[in-house]
Amino acid sequence: MAEPAELETAAAASRLPVTQGPTVALALGAGGARGLAHIHVIETLDELGIRPVAISGSSIGAIMGAGMAAGLSGREIREHTLETIGKRVTIANRLWALGPTSMRDSVGGFRLGQFNLERILKAFLPDGIPDDFGELQIPLKVFATDYFGQREILCDSGNLIEALAASAAIPALFMPVRLNGRLTVDGGIFNPVPYETLRGSADVIIGVDVVGAPEGEEGAIPKRIDSLFGASQLMMQSNIALKLQLGAPDIFLRPPVNRYRVLDFLKARQILEETEVVREELKRALDACFERLEKLTD
């Protein structure tokens, strides 16, 4: 558990105040564009002056967690998101600028499964996110899936951008990433919300699930790509359900993200508007946790 002096130092470095009291650790889950709802969680913690002592994440959760761990505020992450992946023209321009010879060569081709996510992340991530884990202000655990090893891989040191690409390499969309000699894909496959990896690191552990679930009219036949991603959602929700039975975090949040698809980044504003309800839910849950901890120490 971090000492108050350590928390104050981290807060000063990130330009954000921090409250004295119980410590908090944060696990941000996988879900593609649905993970933009994580911004509300980060902003709410900022508002309350709470800086996590540890962060873990899979896929989009790892990317959002890296922003917070680097010292970016939720507002800064929101503004960067809306100015980049929230605008069609900006997306096109940044992809085109990848070079060196053509956008097709740079991203690995235009076919599904051939996009080079590491290069794409370098074009879109905020400047405040460093290249190495060692430069982060808050300890960060990033999870990827070892494709042939059939296991999860924890990344918490070394090349941060490479680890984020490995964690977010959704099969059928992005090229797998070679990480320390292993072929890796989306961390959400093995660990959609890696909250259990934070046990013992803080007084209160928060898990945020943005996997969502397929929606539609009963009897309607989904499109081929929707069937693929919908099946993936069901698989990950089955994984989460088992994990919750074995042991839930102190706070477990599920923003309303079902109606959005994994690649709906251009709907960033809509996603943020419709998931804002999670802010009050988090505040109430934190109040209950802190009150319970206070009674235990009386």
Side-chain angles (χ1 to χ4, degrees), residues 109-126:
F110 290 135
R111 293 176 299 170
L112 287 179
Q114 295 300 308
F115 292 97
N116 185 323
L117 185 54
E118 187 174 355
R119 298 204 65 173
I120 293 172
L121 284 178
K122 288 179 180 178
F124 284 91
L125 288 177

Side-chain angles (χ1 to χ4, degrees), residues 152-289:
E152 70 178 31
I153 291 180
L154 164 63
C155 307
D156 58 5
S157 62
N159 190 315
L160 174 61
I161 308 304
E162 185 179 64
L164 295 179
S167 183
I170 300 172
L173 284 180
F174 301 111
M175 298 167 57
V177 176
R178 287 210 170 272
L179 195 63
N180 298 323
R182 306 302 302 176
L183 195 71
T184 61
V185 294
D186 189 359
I189 294 174
F190 253 75
N191 204 338
V193 191
Y195 61 82
E196 76 287 352
T197 65
L198 296 173
R199 286 202 176 101
S201 65
D203 300 314
V204 176
I205 297 175
I206 303 170
V208 188
D209 171 19
V210 292
V211 169
E215 277 197 348
E217 295 183 11
E218 188 66 32
I221 305 298
K223 296 178 181 178
R224 188 184 310 175
I225 192 69
D226 290 334
S227 294
L228 175 65
F229 290 127
S232 176
Q233 286 176 289
L234 295 175
M235 175 195 69
M236 288 191 280
Q237 286 296 356
S238 175
N239 183 323
I240 293 170
L242 177 59
K243 283 178 49 170
L244 290 174
Q245 289 178 17
L246 294 173
D250 301 288
I251 298 173
F252 192 67
L253 304 171
R254 276 185 163 138
V257 295
N258 285 3
R259 66 185 297 255
Y260 294 102
R261 298 176 179 178
V262 70
L263 292 179
D264 275 347
F265 288 102
L266 287 173
K267 297 181 180 179
R269 290 186 185 278
Q270 294 166 252
I271 294 172
L272 288 170
E273 288 173 5
E274 293 189 24
T275 57
E276 190 170 1
V277 293
V278 78
R279 300 170 73 101
E280 290 304 316
E281 183 182 353
L282 175 56
K283 290 178 182 178
R284 290 193 299 269
L286 283 169
D287 283 343
C289 281

